[in-house]
Amino acid sequence: MASALYALALLAALAGPLCLRLRRTPSFVTGRDGRLSTSTALAVAWTVILVWLLLTILGYGLTAGGGVAYFRDADGPLSSLTSVYLPLLGGPYVALIAAKAVVGMRVEHGTMAKPAAPPTRTGRRPLHELVANDSGRTDLVDLQYVALSAVTMLYVVLFFLADVGAGLPRLPAEMWALTGAPAGAYLVNKMAVRANPVITGIAAGNGLLKVEGGGFTPDPAGRPPLVTVDDTPLEAHPDPLTGALTATLPPTAQPPFTVVVTARGLRSDPYRYAPRPEPTPATPATPAPRKEPTAPH
């Protein structure tokens, strides 16, 4: 029991400051577009868990374990490090390095749109970005990668806490597939995804519609992308500086409405525009009338 409490305290000491730093400045686990990177976040999580396991075993071995002899046994606490745990860590890191290379090359050659993420009010990135595509919709491939990795991490942590003195939990050698296979699917998804336009923000006012995002390139004939509002096509004019699209809203278009951009025959994910209501200013309370003191009779 004492060993498990020590292990939990060490995990809090490692993960706590890191989580606070990422909460304030999440750029450590964001991609080039400013969104949370699934591959980076999972690689960092696995690194923290493995460092925690090794430090906990080191502390236990030098105290309750009896010293150096604790580590010399052929079936000692680190015997499964190279057969299970390094492959568990290797899958996420291979996915991280390969995904960065693939995305960088595809963006450079124009076969993938990676517009900058819209800023948030608090400056923090929503955790939903770990399982979502650039349009903010949940991506099944990212979701399975995060879910299976989280289950595997939980498995490792709980079995280790159940018997800290035994060292690294004796996991089946096939356990690495729970991170390797999802990491491979994640990488293939990065390679196979089409260069669809991506809508990151919409502003409407004074009869005009402004669509921000990426991948709004003209077709080979030079025709600009097509903007549709609730299936009504609109003539769009691209901004040469920002790449945003501007169109004139028809009088019948009243929010909320759905916007789709079609460029080079590829459609973006539907973007639902619903303006937030302006906060009503608080009405100052009317002071109660002051009663004048009456003169005594």
Side-chain angles (χ1 to χ4, degrees):
M1 184 63 180
S3 300
L5 292 177
Y6 161 75
L8 287 174
L10 183 57
L11 179 59
L14 288 174
L18 179 62
C19 291
L20 289 176
R21 183 188 182 281
L22 294 179
R23 182 177 176 84
R24 297 191 186 101
T25 54
S27 57
F28 184 62
V29 291
T30 56
R32 64 172 60 195
D33 55 1
R35 296 176 178 84
L36 291 179
S37 170
T38 304
S39 57
T40 303
L42 292 181
V44 169
W46 272 115
T47 301
V48 171
I49 289 179
L50 186 57
V51 170
W52 167 66
L53 291 173
L54 296 177
L55 288 178
T56 305
I57 293 172
L58 176 62
Y60 181 89
L62 296 179
T63 55
V68 179
Y70 174 71
F71 300 95
R72 290 179 176 173
D73 190 357
D75 195 26
L78 302 180
S79 58
S80 59
L81 179 62
T82 57
S83 61
V84 177
Y85 287 90
L86 291 185
L88 272 178
L89 184 65
Y93 268 95
V94 170
L96 167 62
I97 297 171
K100 286 184 178 294
V102 168
V103 171
M105 288 189 295
R106 294 197 61 185
V107 171
E108 183 178 355
H109 290 85
T111 58
M112 177 181 284
K114 293 294 289 184
T120 59
R121 292 184 176 181
T122 61
R124 302 166 183 163
R125 305 308 309 174
L127 290 178
H128 179 256
E129 289 181 346
L130 292 176
V131 295
N133 58 19
D134 293 342
S135 299
R137 302 182 69 182
T138 300
D139 189 297
L140 181 59
V141 176
D142 290 4
L143 178 61
Q144 60 87 29
Y145 187 23
V146 172
L148 291 178
S149 297
V151 170
T152 308
M153 292 178 194
L154 184 63
Y155 189 101
V156 171
V157 170
L158 293 181
F159 272 79
F160 179 67
L161 292 175
D163 190 1
V164 175
L168 295 175
R170 301 303 194 267
L171 302 179
E174 296 80 9
M175 182 64 72
W176 67 269
L178 285 179
T179 59
Y186 173 83
L187 179 58
V188 171
N189 184 53
K190 292 293 183 183
M191 299 171 62
V193 67
R194 297 189 302 172
N196 292 61
V198 177
I199 302 176
T200 58
I202 288 179
N206 299 323
L208 295 177
L209 176 72
K210 183 178 180 181
V211 183
E212 298 177 343
F216 302 154
T217 54
D219 61 14
R223 289 171 298 198
L226 177 67
V227 176
T228 58
V229 175
D230 287 340
D231 298 327
T232 301
L234 304 177
E235 182 180 359
H237 304 280
D239 188 326
L241 296 179
T242 63
L245 301 177
T246 304
T248 302
L249 279 172
T252 56
Q254 298 295 329
F257 48 72
T258 301
V259 180
V260 174
V261 175
T262 304
R264 308 177 315 281
L266 300 175
R267 288 168 54 92
S268 69
D269 287 335
Y271 191 100
R272 187 67 172 173
Y273 172 71
R276 297 178 179 176
E278 295 291 335
T280 55
T283 305
T286 304
R290 183 180 180 184
K291 295 182 180 181
E292 297 294 335
T294 57
H297 294 286

